Amino acid sequence: MKSSFRLNVFLLIALLIIGCKRDQDIVPVKAEKNISSKLLISYNVDNAPLIFDSVQYQNLAGNNYGVTRLEYYISNITFHSTSVKDFALNKIFYIDARTPTTNSISIDPIPFGEYNSITLNIGIDSANNKTNSLTNTSQNINMAWPSSMGGGYHFMKLEGYYDNPPSTSGFTIHLGQNTSLITCFINKPLLINSSPSEIKLSMNLNELFRSPITYDFELDGNFIMGNEEAMAKIAANGINVFSME
Amino acid sequence: MLAIVITIVAACKKEVADGEVPLPQGDELTPYHLFSPSYFPQLMIPADNPLTVEGVALGRKLYYDTIISNDNRACANCHTQQYAFSNPIPNSMPHLNLAWNNKFLWNGLIEGQLEDIMAFEVNVFFNTDVTKLNNSSLYPAMFKKVFNANTITTKHVAYALAQFIRTQSSTNSKFDKYLRYETTLTPSEMNGFILYNTEKGDCFHCHSLGLFNDNAYHNIGIDSVFFGVNKGHYEVTGNSNDLGKFKTPTLRNVELTAPYMHDGRFATLEDVVEHYNSGVNNTSTLDPIFSKPNHLFGLQLSDQEKTDLVSFLKTLTDTTFINNSALTQP
């Protein structure tokens, strides 16, 4: 009886110690040094800051245009390195260029190391680009690509106006469906070390209309959802739309 | 032995974080479960106003009671159940599925949560005199139970109304049943549904499936010049880029919510469709979505397509909602 009591006390004390152990007390066997980071995204048109609702920019085709809306997803952000293991974030982020909070993204801690480049998708890979695959936030619902048109999500909604004498016309550059996924390449060395990192990316909208295909709203389309050829041109140009400051 | 167990429990008890304030609660309250279809956005209920059966009942009582005004008006005067809680006169917006909205009134005067718009209604629209509520024989006990309030304030009134209005959910239209594989659409309704979701009809960009709105503001080209209430969101922001922009109304129960637009200028759904088909005014703030290829501003629908579109819109009528006894005058 006495020994049974002692055993119970021992077990309870052991339970107390184990049960109350805090997460931070648990040290991994092999800790990999890393640092919390943020992606900060800004927008420009050939170095001029993007100001919404104002027709003041010109693309290579000579269209004078302004922007009223820019929403998109970025996903599969990957930091590439020749000295350490590539670091990939398997997350999808909704961005509204007009909403500052969505342009400051806290990302998983990045392992220390020297990275050579970053790749990321504008859009959602085919595995996840399916109707209702994302959590039903109001943003995701509004980005839905109708099932009758193939399903999934808009990858990007870029809207605005352009001069079309004697007045202005609207444009709606909507990308979606797997063939218009843009894989952006940012070729700039990046050192991640002990200091908290803020990785500043800048999107130059004119890159979407420049190379390798000069895109003209009048000739190539100002309203392109469902126009696969026009979407493909924008997607091809989008590879260089981001740069790192 | 008992002491040891108590020690263990006490030692492991979660600490209350600094600044964490217990919710104001009265006696035992019964949680109210609000159904949210899988194709709706996530339901947001503020932590300081959880839905309870008692709170909803209090809000429902207030909704129909002229005590909240000084001129014999109640919410229900302008929000009648048979019209999906809208009313032809004075062309009030419907109260339905507002639990999933964050912008309120045609011009978006109030943004935030239902508690915010109800605070506006109580403090500004009705100018509620809480003395009458505090002196009533009925309400003090109800507010005490729901909010543990010894004195009723306008905030308590707004919170109670918000609880009831959150339950005015319309989720059982023919279209909902179609989504649940419980019924089929007629050929005309199906054609309308397809039109709705393609670039030709192009309704879906603003009236997104689910809530059938997008919680955003748009100029849909109903005016060529802007004055008075036609200025829309500009009245709130003073920004000329917002001239003529209005909150996208839900299309759920749209068959019941005539007349249409912020000023009730269109009497029928056919009139509305014809506007999109041939009546769009191109102004500087017209939503770019209206600029169709070849510089066209109308949908170019055939008569049959217009009929089909209206047929589909009528599948959004929810007779369960307008006959729901839980929403009637108590």
Side-chain angles (χ1 to χ4, degrees), chain A residues 12 16 20 53 68-69 135-136 138 141-142 146 148-149 154 160-161 164 168-172 174 218 223 225, chain B residues 1 8 12 38-42 197 199 202 204-205 208-209 214 218 241 284-286 288-289 291-292 295:
Chain A
L12 284 167
L16 174 67
C20 290
D53 301 316
T68 58
R69 175 198 292 249
T135 304
N136 268 353
S138 57
I141 286 177
N142 292 336
S148 55
M149 297 181 73
H154 284 75
Y161 306 99
N164 184 27
T168 59
S169 289
F171 66 82
T172 55
H174 287 196
E218 280 294 292
F223 189 87
M225 187 175 182
Chain B
M1 188 66 180
I8 293 169
C12 291
S38 61
Y39 42 88
F40 273 27
Q42 290 170 310
N197 284 292
E199 291 292 73
D202 201 10
F204 69 94
H205 272 119
S208 311
L209 292 188
D214 63 351
H218 302 276
N241 294 311
S284 63
T285 60
L286 177 69
I289 208 83
S291 295
K292 302 299 181 190
H295 308 293

Side-chain angles (χ1 to χ4, degrees), chain A residues 52-53 98, chain B residues 231-245 285:
Chain A
F52 283 95
D53 301 316
R98 297 189 81 132
Chain B
K231 291 177 181 174
H233 195 47
Y234 170 87
E235 289 187 291
V236 179
T237 66
N239 183 342
S240 60
N241 294 311
D242 290 326
L243 275 168
K245 293 182 180 177
T285 60

Side-chain angles (χ1 to χ4, degrees), chain B residues 50-244:
Chain B
L51 270 185
T52 63
V53 170
E54 294 81 2
V56 170
L58 173 57
R60 179 183 174 190
K61 181 83 181 153
L62 289 165
Y63 191 85
Y64 286 95
D65 197 336
T66 57
I67 196 172
I68 65 168
S69 75
N70 302 307
D71 53 5
N72 211 33
R73 291 178 300 164
C75 303
N77 287 25
C78 298
H79 299 279
T80 312
Q81 189 168 9
Q82 72 183 96
Y83 302 118
F85 292 100
S86 69
N87 207 296
I89 302 171
N91 186 33
S92 46
M93 297 186 89
H95 281 175
L96 64 90
N97 297 342
L98 293 182
W100 293 269
N101 279 246
N102 55 30
K103 294 180 174 65
F104 303 98
L105 306 179
W106 278 104
N107 63 7
L109 180 63
I110 305 294
E111 296 186 354
Q113 297 180 310
L114 265 174
E115 283 71 13
D116 300 308
I117 179 63
M118 286 303 111
F120 168 80
E121 299 287 358
V122 170
N123 290 306
V124 180
F125 185 77
F126 285 121
N127 191 21
T128 301
D129 180 2
V130 288
T131 309
K132 290 193 289 185
L133 289 162
N134 279 305
N135 291 338
S136 79
S137 59
L138 175 72
Y139 283 109
M142 294 181 80
F143 277 94
K144 175 70 178 172
K145 183 171 180 64
V146 174
F147 296 112
N148 196 25
N150 293 319
T151 303
I152 302 166
T153 66
T154 54
K155 181 177 177 180
H156 294 129
V157 179
Y159 272 43
L161 285 169
Q163 287 204 37
F164 173 63
I165 291 174
R166 232 169 229 123
T167 69
Q168 291 173 307
S169 62
S170 174
T171 60
N172 200 32
S173 65
K174 181 176 183 181
F175 181 68
D176 292 295
K177 292 172 186 169
Y178 166 74
L179 291 179
R180 300 195 299 259
Y181 304 103
E182 295 170 6
T183 191
T184 56
L185 301 183
T186 67
S188 178
E189 291 165 349
M190 181 55 83
N191 288 340
F193 178 43
I194 292 168
L195 261 176
Y196 186 101
N197 284 292
T198 56
E199 291 292 73
K200 187 160 192 186
D202 201 10
C203 311
F204 69 94
H205 272 119
C206 302
H207 299 281
S208 311
L209 292 188
L211 296 180
F212 287 87
N213 72 6
D214 63 351
N215 271 299
Y217 309 104
H218 302 276
N219 173 0
I220 60 168
I222 54 176
D223 287 308
S224 56
V225 292
F226 306 103
F227 56 88
V229 295
N230 297 343
K231 291 177 181 174
H233 195 47
Y234 170 87
E235 289 187 291
V236 179
T237 66
N239 183 342
S240 60
N241 294 311
D242 290 326
L243 275 168

Side-chain angles (χ1 to χ4, degrees), chain A residues 9-238:
Chain A
V9 170
F10 173 77
L11 288 173
L12 284 167
I13 290 171
L15 188 66
L16 174 67
I17 292 167
I18 295 166
C20 290
K21 195 165 189 178
R22 294 172 300 169
D23 287 347
Q24 57 264 44
D25 296 333
I26 302 168
V27 180
V29 176
K30 186 180 178 185
E32 189 177 35
K33 286 185 177 177
N34 56 38
I35 191 81
S36 296
S37 300
K38 270 189 174 178
L39 275 184
L40 304 176
I41 303 176
S42 62
Y43 303 89
N44 71 85
V45 184
D46 288 343
N47 295 321
L50 175 64
I51 297 170
F52 283 95
D53 301 316
S54 172
V55 176
Q56 59 174 299
Y57 308 108
Q58 188 177 71
N59 63 20
L60 187 61
N63 304 133
N64 296 315
Y65 71 99
V67 177
T68 58
R69 175 198 292 249
L70 175 55
E71 295 174 74
Y72 58 100
Y73 290 105
I74 60 174
S75 61
N76 296 74
I77 304 168
T78 305
F79 296 79
H80 300 275
S81 176
T82 51
S83 58
V84 293
K85 227 168 87 175
D86 286 0
F87 176 68
L89 285 162
N90 294 315
K91 289 184 177 172
I92 299 165
F93 301 97
Y94 164 82
I95 313 278
D96 178 354
R98 297 189 81 132
T99 305
T101 51
T102 66
N103 292 281
S104 174
I105 304 168
S106 295
I107 57 178
D108 296 342
I110 306 174
F112 287 179
E114 285 183 44
Y115 295 89
N116 311 99
S117 61
I118 301 172
T119 56
L120 59 86
N121 291 337
I122 294 180
I124 300 168
D125 60 44
S126 57
N128 292 298
N129 187 33
K130 294 170 183 165
T131 297
N132 293 329
S133 69
L134 302 182
T135 304
N136 268 353
T137 62
S138 57
Q139 291 89 352
N140 290 339
I141 286 177
N142 292 336
M143 292 292 274
W145 191 276
S147 297
S148 55
M149 297 181 73
Y153 295 88
H154 284 75
F155 295 164
M156 171 186 274
K157 290 182 181 178
L158 171 61
E159 299 178 5
Y161 306 99
Y162 66 101
D163 284 338
N164 184 27
S167 63
T168 59
S169 289
F171 66 82
T172 55
I173 302 297
H174 287 196
L175 303 183
Q177 303 193 279
N178 299 331
T179 50
S180 62
L181 184 73
I182 305 174
T183 298
C184 301
F185 182 63
I186 304 161
N187 186 21
K188 188 172 181 180
L190 173 68
L191 177 65
I192 300 292
N193 55 23
S194 55
S195 305
S197 293
E198 284 191 343
I199 300 163
K200 295 180 179 176
L201 300 182
S202 184
M203 178 188 277
N204 179 359
L205 294 183
N206 259 355
E207 293 294 347
L208 294 170
F209 309 120
R210 180 152 40 216
S211 175
I213 302 160
T214 303
Y215 192 96
D216 187 318
F217 293 136
E218 280 294 292
L219 300 175
D220 297 298
N222 63 326
F223 189 87
I224 68 168
M225 187 175 182
N227 179 344
E228 288 189 15
E229 187 182 346
M231 289 196 297
K233 289 177 182 176
I234 297 291
N237 289 347

